[in-house]
Short mmCIF file of all heavy atoms in Angstrom, two decimals:
data_model
loop_
_atom_site.label_atom_id
_atom_site.label_comp_id
_atom_site.label_asym_id
_atom_site.label_seq_id
_atom_site.Cartn_x
_atom_site.Cartn_y
_atom_site.Cartn_z
N MET A 1 109.09 100.88 56.97
CA MET A 1 108.88 102.05 57.79
C MET A 1 107.84 102.93 57.08
O MET A 1 107.94 103.19 55.89
CB MET A 1 110.21 102.79 57.95
CG MET A 1 110.18 103.88 58.98
SD MET A 1 111.85 104.56 59.27
CE MET A 1 112.13 103.98 60.91
N THR A 2 106.87 103.39 57.82
CA THR A 2 105.83 104.21 57.23
C THR A 2 106.29 105.66 57.15
O THR A 2 107.25 106.07 57.82
CB THR A 2 104.54 104.15 58.08
OG1 THR A 2 104.80 104.77 59.34
CG2 THR A 2 104.08 102.72 58.29
N ALA A 3 105.57 106.46 56.35
CA ALA A 3 105.89 107.90 56.23
C ALA A 3 105.74 108.58 57.58
O ALA A 3 106.53 109.46 57.94
CB ALA A 3 104.99 108.55 55.19
N ASP A 4 104.75 108.18 58.35
CA ASP A 4 104.54 108.77 59.68
C ASP A 4 105.72 108.49 60.59
O ASP A 4 106.17 109.36 61.34
CB ASP A 4 103.24 108.23 60.30
CG ASP A 4 102.95 108.88 61.65
OD1 ASP A 4 102.86 110.14 61.68
OD2 ASP A 4 102.83 108.16 62.65
N GLN A 5 106.25 107.28 60.53
CA GLN A 5 107.41 106.93 61.35
C GLN A 5 108.63 107.75 60.96
O GLN A 5 109.42 108.15 61.80
CB GLN A 5 107.72 105.44 61.23
CG GLN A 5 106.70 104.54 61.90
CD GLN A 5 106.96 103.07 61.59
OE1 GLN A 5 107.24 102.72 60.44
NE2 GLN A 5 106.82 102.22 62.60
N ILE A 6 108.78 108.02 59.66
CA ILE A 6 109.91 108.81 59.20
C ILE A 6 109.76 110.27 59.62
O ILE A 6 110.69 110.89 60.13
CB ILE A 6 110.06 108.71 57.66
CG1 ILE A 6 110.46 107.28 57.29
CG2 ILE A 6 111.08 109.72 57.14
CD1 ILE A 6 110.41 106.99 55.81
N LEU A 7 108.57 110.82 59.44
CA LEU A 7 108.33 112.23 59.76
C LEU A 7 108.35 112.51 61.26
O LEU A 7 108.73 113.59 61.69
CB LEU A 7 107.01 112.71 59.16
CG LEU A 7 106.97 112.71 57.63
CD1 LEU A 7 105.57 113.04 57.14
CD2 LEU A 7 107.98 113.71 57.08
N ASN A 8 107.93 111.55 62.05
CA ASN A 8 107.86 111.73 63.50
C ASN A 8 108.88 110.85 64.20
O ASN A 8 108.62 110.33 65.28
CB ASN A 8 106.45 111.41 64.00
CG ASN A 8 105.43 112.36 63.43
OD1 ASN A 8 105.60 113.56 63.50
ND2 ASN A 8 104.38 111.80 62.83
N TYR A 9 110.04 110.73 63.59
CA TYR A 9 111.06 109.82 64.12
C TYR A 9 111.55 110.29 65.47
O TYR A 9 111.86 111.47 65.67
CB TYR A 9 112.23 109.73 63.13
CG TYR A 9 113.06 108.49 63.34
CD1 TYR A 9 112.59 107.26 62.91
CD2 TYR A 9 114.28 108.54 63.98
CE1 TYR A 9 113.33 106.11 63.09
CE2 TYR A 9 115.03 107.38 64.17
CZ TYR A 9 114.54 106.19 63.72
OH TYR A 9 115.28 105.05 63.91
N ASP A 10 111.61 109.40 66.41
CA ASP A 10 112.09 109.69 67.75
C ASP A 10 113.62 109.81 67.73
O ASP A 10 114.32 108.83 67.45
CB ASP A 10 111.66 108.58 68.70
CG ASP A 10 112.04 108.83 70.15
OD1 ASP A 10 112.72 109.84 70.44
OD2 ASP A 10 111.65 108.00 71.00
N GLU A 11 114.12 111.00 68.00
CA GLU A 11 115.58 111.22 67.96
C GLU A 11 116.33 110.36 68.97
O GLU A 11 117.51 110.10 68.80
CB GLU A 11 115.89 112.69 68.21
CG GLU A 11 115.52 113.58 67.05
CD GLU A 11 115.98 115.00 67.25
OE1 GLU A 11 116.98 115.21 67.98
OE2 GLU A 11 115.35 115.88 66.67
N ASN A 12 115.66 109.91 70.02
CA ASN A 12 116.32 109.07 71.02
C ASN A 12 116.65 107.69 70.47
O ASN A 12 117.44 106.96 71.06
CB ASN A 12 115.45 108.94 72.27
CG ASN A 12 115.32 110.26 73.00
OD1 ASN A 12 116.24 111.06 73.03
ND2 ASN A 12 114.15 110.51 73.56
N LEU A 13 116.05 107.32 69.34
CA LEU A 13 116.31 106.02 68.74
C LEU A 13 117.46 106.05 67.75
O LEU A 13 117.95 105.01 67.33
CB LEU A 13 115.05 105.51 68.04
CG LEU A 13 113.83 105.28 68.94
CD1 LEU A 13 112.63 104.85 68.11
CD2 LEU A 13 114.12 104.25 70.01
N ILE A 14 117.90 107.25 67.37
CA ILE A 14 119.01 107.38 66.43
C ILE A 14 120.30 107.03 67.15
O ILE A 14 120.58 107.57 68.22
CB ILE A 14 119.08 108.82 65.86
CG1 ILE A 14 117.80 109.13 65.09
CG2 ILE A 14 120.31 108.98 64.98
CD1 ILE A 14 117.71 110.58 64.63
N PRO A 15 121.10 106.13 66.58
CA PRO A 15 122.36 105.77 67.24
C PRO A 15 123.27 106.99 67.38
O PRO A 15 123.34 107.85 66.49
CB PRO A 15 122.98 104.75 66.28
CG PRO A 15 121.86 104.26 65.45
CD PRO A 15 120.88 105.38 65.36
N LYS A 16 123.95 107.08 68.48
CA LYS A 16 124.88 108.16 68.75
C LYS A 16 126.29 107.74 68.34
O LYS A 16 126.62 106.56 68.33
CB LYS A 16 124.88 108.52 70.24
CG LYS A 16 123.51 108.89 70.81
CD LYS A 16 123.13 110.30 70.46
CE LYS A 16 121.89 110.73 71.19
NZ LYS A 16 120.68 110.70 70.44
N GLU A 17 127.11 108.73 68.03
CA GLU A 17 128.50 108.46 67.70
C GLU A 17 129.20 107.84 68.91
O GLU A 17 129.00 108.27 70.04
CB GLU A 17 129.21 109.76 67.32
CG GLU A 17 130.67 109.59 67.01
CD GLU A 17 131.37 110.91 66.71
OE1 GLU A 17 130.80 111.97 66.97
OE2 GLU A 17 132.50 110.85 66.21
N VAL A 18 130.01 106.84 68.67
CA VAL A 18 130.77 106.20 69.74
C VAL A 18 132.17 106.80 69.74
O VAL A 18 132.83 106.86 68.73
CB VAL A 18 130.87 104.67 69.53
CG1 VAL A 18 131.76 104.04 70.58
CG2 VAL A 18 129.48 104.05 69.54
N VAL A 19 132.59 107.28 70.91
CA VAL A 19 133.95 107.80 71.08
C VAL A 19 134.62 106.88 72.10
O VAL A 19 134.30 106.91 73.28
CB VAL A 19 133.95 109.26 71.57
CG1 VAL A 19 135.37 109.76 71.76
CG2 VAL A 19 133.18 110.14 70.59
N ILE A 20 135.52 106.05 71.61
CA ILE A 20 136.12 105.02 72.45
C ILE A 20 137.13 105.59 73.44
O ILE A 20 137.38 105.01 74.49
CB ILE A 20 136.72 103.90 71.57
CG1 ILE A 20 136.90 102.63 72.38
CG2 ILE A 20 138.01 104.35 70.93
CD1 ILE A 20 137.13 101.40 71.54
N GLU A 21 137.71 106.75 73.13
CA GLU A 21 138.74 107.34 73.98
C GLU A 21 138.24 107.70 75.38
O GLU A 21 139.01 107.67 76.33
CB GLU A 21 139.32 108.60 73.34
CG GLU A 21 140.18 108.32 72.15
CD GLU A 21 140.68 109.60 71.51
OE1 GLU A 21 139.96 110.60 71.49
OE2 GLU A 21 141.83 109.57 71.03
N ASP A 22 136.98 108.05 75.50
CA ASP A 22 136.48 108.48 76.80
C ASP A 22 135.90 107.33 77.62
O ASP A 22 135.22 107.55 78.61
CB ASP A 22 135.44 109.60 76.64
CG ASP A 22 134.18 109.16 75.93
OD1 ASP A 22 134.13 108.02 75.45
OD2 ASP A 22 133.23 109.97 75.85
N LYS A 23 136.22 106.12 77.22
CA LYS A 23 135.72 104.93 77.92
C LYS A 23 136.84 104.29 78.74
O LYS A 23 138.02 104.46 78.45
CB LYS A 23 135.21 103.89 76.92
CG LYS A 23 134.22 104.39 75.90
CD LYS A 23 132.85 104.50 76.48
CE LYS A 23 131.82 104.81 75.42
NZ LYS A 23 131.26 106.13 75.50
N SER A 24 136.45 103.52 79.75
CA SER A 24 137.45 102.76 80.51
C SER A 24 137.98 101.64 79.62
O SER A 24 137.39 101.31 78.58
CB SER A 24 136.81 102.16 81.77
OG SER A 24 135.91 101.12 81.41
N THR A 25 139.08 101.05 80.02
CA THR A 25 139.68 99.97 79.24
C THR A 25 138.70 98.81 79.06
O THR A 25 138.60 98.25 77.96
CB THR A 25 140.98 99.48 79.91
OG1 THR A 25 141.85 100.60 80.06
CG2 THR A 25 141.66 98.40 79.11
N ILE A 26 137.98 98.48 80.09
CA ILE A 26 137.01 97.38 80.00
C ILE A 26 135.91 97.72 79.01
O ILE A 26 135.54 96.90 78.17
CB ILE A 26 136.42 97.05 81.39
CG1 ILE A 26 137.50 96.42 82.26
CG2 ILE A 26 135.21 96.14 81.29
CD1 ILE A 26 137.10 96.18 83.70
N GLU A 27 135.40 98.96 79.07
CA GLU A 27 134.37 99.38 78.12
C GLU A 27 134.90 99.37 76.69
O GLU A 27 134.19 98.97 75.76
CB GLU A 27 133.86 100.78 78.46
CG GLU A 27 133.02 100.85 79.72
CD GLU A 27 132.66 102.29 80.08
OE1 GLU A 27 133.59 103.11 80.24
OE2 GLU A 27 131.45 102.57 80.17
N GLN A 28 136.15 99.79 76.52
CA GLN A 28 136.75 99.77 75.18
C GLN A 28 136.79 98.35 74.63
O GLN A 28 136.46 98.11 73.47
CB GLN A 28 138.16 100.36 75.22
CG GLN A 28 138.19 101.84 75.49
CD GLN A 28 139.59 102.37 75.72
OE1 GLN A 28 140.52 101.61 75.96
NE2 GLN A 28 139.75 103.68 75.67
N MET A 29 137.22 97.40 75.45
CA MET A 29 137.30 96.01 75.00
C MET A 29 135.91 95.45 74.71
O MET A 29 135.73 94.71 73.74
CB MET A 29 138.03 95.15 76.03
CG MET A 29 139.50 95.49 76.18
SD MET A 29 140.42 95.51 74.62
CE MET A 29 140.31 93.81 74.12
N GLN A 30 134.92 95.82 75.51
CA GLN A 30 133.55 95.36 75.26
C GLN A 30 133.04 95.90 73.93
O GLN A 30 132.38 95.18 73.18
CB GLN A 30 132.63 95.78 76.41
CG GLN A 30 132.88 95.02 77.69
CD GLN A 30 132.13 95.59 78.88
OE1 GLN A 30 131.75 96.75 78.92
NE2 GLN A 30 131.93 94.75 79.89
N LEU A 31 133.35 97.16 73.63
CA LEU A 31 132.94 97.73 72.35
C LEU A 31 133.64 97.03 71.19
O LEU A 31 133.01 96.73 70.17
CB LEU A 31 133.22 99.24 72.32
CG LEU A 31 132.31 100.10 73.19
CD1 LEU A 31 132.86 101.51 73.30
CD2 LEU A 31 130.89 100.11 72.63
N LEU A 32 134.93 96.77 71.33
CA LEU A 32 135.66 96.07 70.28
C LEU A 32 135.09 94.67 70.04
O LEU A 32 135.04 94.19 68.90
CB LEU A 32 137.15 95.97 70.61
CG LEU A 32 137.93 97.28 70.53
CD1 LEU A 32 139.35 97.09 71.04
CD2 LEU A 32 137.92 97.82 69.12
N GLN A 33 134.65 94.01 71.10
CA GLN A 33 134.10 92.67 70.96
C GLN A 33 132.77 92.66 70.20
O GLN A 33 132.35 91.63 69.70
CB GLN A 33 133.92 92.00 72.33
CG GLN A 33 135.23 91.67 73.02
CD GLN A 33 136.11 90.77 72.16
OE1 GLN A 33 135.66 89.84 71.53
NE2 GLN A 33 137.39 91.08 72.14
N GLN A 34 132.13 93.82 70.08
CA GLN A 34 130.87 93.91 69.34
C GLN A 34 131.08 93.94 67.83
O GLN A 34 130.14 93.73 67.06
CB GLN A 34 130.10 95.17 69.76
CG GLN A 34 129.61 95.14 71.17
CD GLN A 34 128.94 96.44 71.58
OE1 GLN A 34 128.54 97.25 70.76
NE2 GLN A 34 128.81 96.65 72.88
N LEU A 35 132.31 94.18 67.40
CA LEU A 35 132.60 94.25 65.97
C LEU A 35 132.52 92.87 65.33
O LEU A 35 132.71 91.85 66.01
CB LEU A 35 134.01 94.81 65.75
CG LEU A 35 134.27 96.23 66.22
CD1 LEU A 35 135.75 96.57 66.07
CD2 LEU A 35 133.40 97.22 65.48
N ASP A 36 132.27 92.84 64.04
CA ASP A 36 132.31 91.55 63.36
C ASP A 36 133.77 91.11 63.25
O ASP A 36 134.69 91.89 63.46
CB ASP A 36 131.60 91.56 62.00
CG ASP A 36 132.26 92.46 60.97
OD1 ASP A 36 133.50 92.58 60.95
OD2 ASP A 36 131.52 93.05 60.16
N GLU A 37 133.99 89.86 62.94
CA GLU A 37 135.33 89.28 62.98
C GLU A 37 136.33 89.99 62.07
O GLU A 37 137.48 90.20 62.44
CB GLU A 37 135.29 87.78 62.66
CG GLU A 37 134.69 86.93 63.77
CD GLU A 37 135.41 87.09 65.11
OE1 GLU A 37 136.66 87.08 65.15
OE2 GLU A 37 134.70 87.22 66.12
N ASP A 38 135.90 90.35 60.87
CA ASP A 38 136.81 91.04 59.95
C ASP A 38 137.25 92.40 60.51
O ASP A 38 138.42 92.76 60.41
CB ASP A 38 136.16 91.24 58.58
CG ASP A 38 136.05 89.96 57.78
OD1 ASP A 38 136.77 88.99 58.11
OD2 ASP A 38 135.26 89.93 56.82
N ASP A 39 136.31 93.13 61.09
CA ASP A 39 136.65 94.44 61.67
C ASP A 39 137.56 94.29 62.88
O ASP A 39 138.50 95.06 63.06
CB ASP A 39 135.39 95.21 62.04
CG ASP A 39 134.63 95.72 60.83
OD1 ASP A 39 135.22 95.77 59.73
OD2 ASP A 39 133.43 96.06 60.97
N LYS A 40 137.30 93.28 63.72
CA LYS A 40 138.18 93.03 64.87
C LYS A 40 139.59 92.72 64.40
O LYS A 40 140.56 93.24 64.94
CB LYS A 40 137.65 91.87 65.73
CG LYS A 40 136.58 92.28 66.72
CD LYS A 40 136.38 91.21 67.76
CE LYS A 40 135.39 90.19 67.26
NZ LYS A 40 134.92 89.29 68.30
N THR A 41 139.70 91.87 63.39
CA THR A 41 141.01 91.52 62.85
C THR A 41 141.74 92.77 62.36
O THR A 41 142.93 92.95 62.64
CB THR A 41 140.86 90.50 61.71
OG1 THR A 41 140.25 89.32 62.23
CG2 THR A 41 142.20 90.15 61.10
N THR A 42 141.04 93.63 61.66
CA THR A 42 141.64 94.86 61.16
C THR A 42 142.11 95.75 62.29
O THR A 42 143.24 96.26 62.27
CB THR A 42 140.63 95.62 60.26
OG1 THR A 42 140.25 94.79 59.17
CG2 THR A 42 141.22 96.92 59.77
N VAL A 43 141.27 95.94 63.30
CA VAL A 43 141.63 96.79 64.44
C VAL A 43 142.86 96.22 65.14
O VAL A 43 143.81 96.96 65.45
CB VAL A 43 140.45 96.92 65.43
CG1 VAL A 43 140.91 97.55 66.75
CG2 VAL A 43 139.32 97.74 64.82
N PHE A 44 142.89 94.93 65.37
CA PHE A 44 144.01 94.33 66.08
C PHE A 44 145.30 94.35 65.25
O PHE A 44 146.38 94.51 65.79
CB PHE A 44 143.67 92.93 66.57
CG PHE A 44 142.66 92.93 67.70
CD1 PHE A 44 141.53 92.14 67.65
CD2 PHE A 44 142.84 93.75 68.81
CE1 PHE A 44 140.61 92.16 68.68
CE2 PHE A 44 141.92 93.77 69.84
CZ PHE A 44 140.80 92.97 69.78
N LYS A 45 145.18 94.25 63.92
CA LYS A 45 146.36 94.38 63.07
C LYS A 45 146.93 95.79 63.15
O LYS A 45 148.15 95.98 63.18
CB LYS A 45 146.02 94.03 61.62
CG LYS A 45 145.91 92.56 61.36
CD LYS A 45 145.60 92.29 59.89
CE LYS A 45 145.51 90.81 59.62
NZ LYS A 45 145.21 90.54 58.21
N ILE A 46 146.04 96.79 63.17
CA ILE A 46 146.49 98.18 63.29
C ILE A 46 147.20 98.39 64.63
O ILE A 46 148.27 98.99 64.69
CB ILE A 46 145.30 99.15 63.14
CG1 ILE A 46 144.78 99.12 61.70
CG2 ILE A 46 145.71 100.58 63.54
CD1 ILE A 46 143.45 99.83 61.51
N ILE A 47 146.62 97.87 65.70
CA ILE A 47 147.23 98.00 67.03
C ILE A 47 148.58 97.29 67.05
O ILE A 47 149.58 97.84 67.56
CB ILE A 47 146.29 97.46 68.12
CG1 ILE A 47 145.07 98.38 68.25
CG2 ILE A 47 147.03 97.34 69.47
CD1 ILE A 47 143.95 97.83 69.12
N ASP A 48 148.64 96.08 66.50
CA ASP A 48 149.92 95.34 66.44
C ASP A 48 150.98 96.16 65.72
O ASP A 48 152.12 96.26 66.17
CB ASP A 48 149.74 94.00 65.72
CG ASP A 48 148.96 92.98 66.53
OD1 ASP A 48 148.77 93.19 67.75
OD2 ASP A 48 148.52 91.97 65.93
N LYS A 49 150.62 96.73 64.58
CA LYS A 49 151.56 97.52 63.79
C LYS A 49 152.04 98.74 64.58
O LYS A 49 153.25 99.04 64.61
CB LYS A 49 150.87 97.98 62.50
CG LYS A 49 151.58 99.07 61.73
CD LYS A 49 152.89 98.60 61.13
CE LYS A 49 153.49 99.62 60.18
NZ LYS A 49 154.27 100.65 60.82
N MET A 50 151.14 99.42 65.25
CA MET A 50 151.52 100.61 66.02
C MET A 50 152.43 100.25 67.19
O MET A 50 153.41 100.95 67.47
CB MET A 50 150.27 101.34 66.51
CG MET A 50 149.44 101.91 65.37
SD MET A 50 147.88 102.57 65.92
CE MET A 50 148.36 104.27 66.10
N LEU A 51 152.14 99.16 67.86
CA LEU A 51 152.98 98.73 68.99
C LEU A 51 154.35 98.29 68.51
O LEU A 51 155.37 98.59 69.15
CB LEU A 51 152.29 97.60 69.76
CG LEU A 51 151.06 98.02 70.56
CD1 LEU A 51 150.32 96.79 71.09
CD2 LEU A 51 151.42 98.96 71.70
N THR A 52 154.40 97.58 67.39
CA THR A 52 155.69 97.16 66.83
C THR A 52 156.52 98.38 66.43
O THR A 52 157.71 98.45 66.73
CB THR A 52 155.47 96.24 65.62
OG1 THR A 52 154.74 95.10 66.05
CG2 THR A 52 156.79 95.81 65.00
N THR A 53 155.89 99.35 65.79
CA THR A 53 156.58 100.58 65.40
C THR A 53 157.12 101.30 66.62
O THR A 53 158.26 101.77 66.62
CB THR A 53 155.62 101.50 64.61
OG1 THR A 53 155.20 100.82 63.43
CG2 THR A 53 156.29 102.81 64.24
N LYS A 54 156.32 101.37 67.69
CA LYS A 54 156.77 102.03 68.92
C LYS A 54 157.97 101.32 69.51
O LYS A 54 158.94 101.96 69.93
CB LYS A 54 155.65 102.09 69.95
CG LYS A 54 156.08 102.81 71.22
CD LYS A 54 155.03 102.76 72.29
CE LYS A 54 155.40 103.46 73.57
NZ LYS A 54 156.78 103.59 73.93
N LYS A 55 157.95 99.99 69.53
CA LYS A 55 159.09 99.23 70.06
C LYS A 55 160.36 99.50 69.27
O LYS A 55 161.43 99.66 69.84
CB LYS A 55 158.78 97.74 70.10
CG LYS A 55 157.86 97.36 71.22
CD LYS A 55 157.72 95.87 71.34
CE LYS A 55 156.88 95.55 72.56
NZ LYS A 55 157.06 94.20 73.02
N PHE A 56 160.23 99.55 67.94
CA PHE A 56 161.40 99.84 67.11
C PHE A 56 161.91 101.26 67.35
O PHE A 56 163.12 101.49 67.44
CB PHE A 56 161.10 99.63 65.62
CG PHE A 56 161.29 98.22 65.17
CD1 PHE A 56 160.21 97.38 64.95
CD2 PHE A 56 162.57 97.71 64.97
CE1 PHE A 56 160.38 96.08 64.55
CE2 PHE A 56 162.76 96.39 64.56
CZ PHE A 56 161.66 95.58 64.34
N LYS A 57 161.00 102.23 67.47
CA LYS A 57 161.41 103.61 67.74
C LYS A 57 162.11 103.70 69.10
O LYS A 57 163.16 104.35 69.21
CB LYS A 57 160.20 104.54 67.74
CG LYS A 57 159.71 104.90 66.37
CD LYS A 57 158.52 105.86 66.47
CE LYS A 57 157.96 106.18 65.11
NZ LYS A 57 156.78 107.06 65.22
N ASP A 58 161.54 103.06 70.11
CA ASP A 58 162.15 103.08 71.44
C ASP A 58 163.54 102.44 71.41
O ASP A 58 164.49 102.96 71.99
CB ASP A 58 161.26 102.36 72.46
CG ASP A 58 159.97 103.12 72.76
OD1 ASP A 58 159.85 104.31 72.37
OD2 ASP A 58 159.07 102.50 73.38
N PHE A 59 163.66 101.31 70.74
CA PHE A 59 164.93 100.61 70.62
C PHE A 59 165.95 101.50 69.91
O PHE A 59 167.08 101.65 70.36
CB PHE A 59 164.74 99.30 69.86
CG PHE A 59 166.02 98.57 69.56
CD1 PHE A 59 166.63 97.81 70.54
CD2 PHE A 59 166.62 98.66 68.32
CE1 PHE A 59 167.82 97.14 70.28
CE2 PHE A 59 167.80 98.00 68.04
CZ PHE A 59 168.41 97.24 69.04
N PHE A 60 165.53 102.08 68.79
CA PHE A 60 166.42 102.95 68.02
C PHE A 60 166.86 104.15 68.85
O PHE A 60 168.07 104.47 68.93
CB PHE A 60 165.71 103.41 66.75
CG PHE A 60 166.55 104.31 65.89
CD1 PHE A 60 167.57 103.80 65.10
CD2 PHE A 60 166.32 105.68 65.89
CE1 PHE A 60 168.35 104.63 64.31
CE2 PHE A 60 167.10 106.52 65.10
CZ PHE A 60 168.11 106.00 64.31
N ASN A 61 165.90 104.81 69.49
CA ASN A 61 166.24 106.00 70.31
C ASN A 61 167.18 105.65 71.46
O ASN A 61 168.10 106.40 71.77
CB ASN A 61 164.97 106.66 70.83
CG ASN A 61 164.20 107.36 69.75
OD1 ASN A 61 164.76 107.75 68.73
ND2 ASN A 61 162.90 107.51 69.95
N LYS A 62 166.97 104.51 72.09
CA LYS A 62 167.81 104.09 73.20
C LYS A 62 169.23 103.80 72.72
O LYS A 62 170.21 104.20 73.35
CB LYS A 62 167.22 102.84 73.87
CG LYS A 62 168.03 102.31 75.00
CD LYS A 62 167.39 101.04 75.57
CE LYS A 62 168.29 100.41 76.61
NZ LYS A 62 167.80 99.11 77.03
N ASN A 63 169.34 103.12 71.60
CA ASN A 63 170.66 102.73 71.09
C ASN A 63 171.40 103.88 70.44
O ASN A 63 172.63 103.93 70.50
CB ASN A 63 170.55 101.55 70.16
CG ASN A 63 170.20 100.28 70.94
OD1 ASN A 63 170.95 99.90 71.83
ND2 ASN A 63 169.09 99.67 70.65
N VAL A 64 170.70 104.80 69.83
CA VAL A 64 171.37 105.97 69.25
C VAL A 64 171.82 106.90 70.37
O VAL A 64 172.90 107.46 70.29
CB VAL A 64 170.41 106.71 68.27
CG1 VAL A 64 170.96 108.07 67.90
CG2 VAL A 64 170.19 105.87 67.02
N ALA A 65 171.04 107.00 71.41
CA ALA A 65 171.41 107.86 72.55
C ALA A 65 172.65 107.32 73.23
O ALA A 65 173.42 108.08 73.84
CB ALA A 65 170.26 107.93 73.54
N ALA A 66 172.88 106.01 73.14
CA ALA A 66 174.05 105.40 73.79
C ALA A 66 175.34 105.62 73.00
O ALA A 66 176.44 105.38 73.53
CB ALA A 66 173.80 103.91 73.99
N LEU A 67 175.23 106.06 71.75
CA LEU A 67 176.44 106.24 70.93
C LEU A 67 177.23 107.44 71.33
O LEU A 67 177.10 108.43 71.65
CB LEU A 67 176.07 106.31 69.45
CG LEU A 67 175.52 105.02 68.87
CD1 LEU A 67 175.11 105.25 67.41
CD2 LEU A 67 176.56 103.91 68.92
#
């Protein structure tokens, strides 16, 4: 990159922050598919853990409420 390119950098070329929450489910999945395999694995492990935790909390709350 030349000094001129750095000094006169087009701001439209700078990547913007991605906020996945404001996307549709399909767009979210498309963005996740762009990740490299290690990052996808990490994201899916986090989701698995959160879903498992939620199931245990729901089970616990349901069964404690029944006592």
Side-chain angles (χ1 to χ4, degrees):
M1 191 173 249
T2 67
D4 184 56
Q5 289 172 317
I6 293 171
L7 295 173
N8 297 309
Y9 200 76
D10 183 356
E11 288 186 27
N12 293 325
L13 298 177
I14 298 173
K16 304 281 189 259
E17 178 183 14
V18 175
V19 179
I20 200 164
E21 289 178 325
D22 65 354
K23 308 281 188 250
S24 70
T25 303
I26 290 174
E27 289 175 304
Q28 291 172 344
M29 293 308 295
Q30 289 170 337
L31 288 168
L32 289 174
Q33 291 303 319
Q34 293 176 18
L35 297 174
D36 64 35
E37 288 303 315
D38 288 341
D39 288 342
K40 277 195 274 192
T41 299
T42 301
V43 168
F44 290 129
K45 282 181 180 180
I46 292 168
I47 292 170
D48 289 346
K49 166 68 171 84
M50 295 173 95
L51 290 170
T52 300
T53 299
K54 182 185 180 334
K55 284 188 175 199
F56 274 104
K57 282 181 183 177
D58 291 348
F59 174 80
F60 180 77
N61 288 336
K62 179 182 173 188
N63 289 301
V64 168
L67 293 177

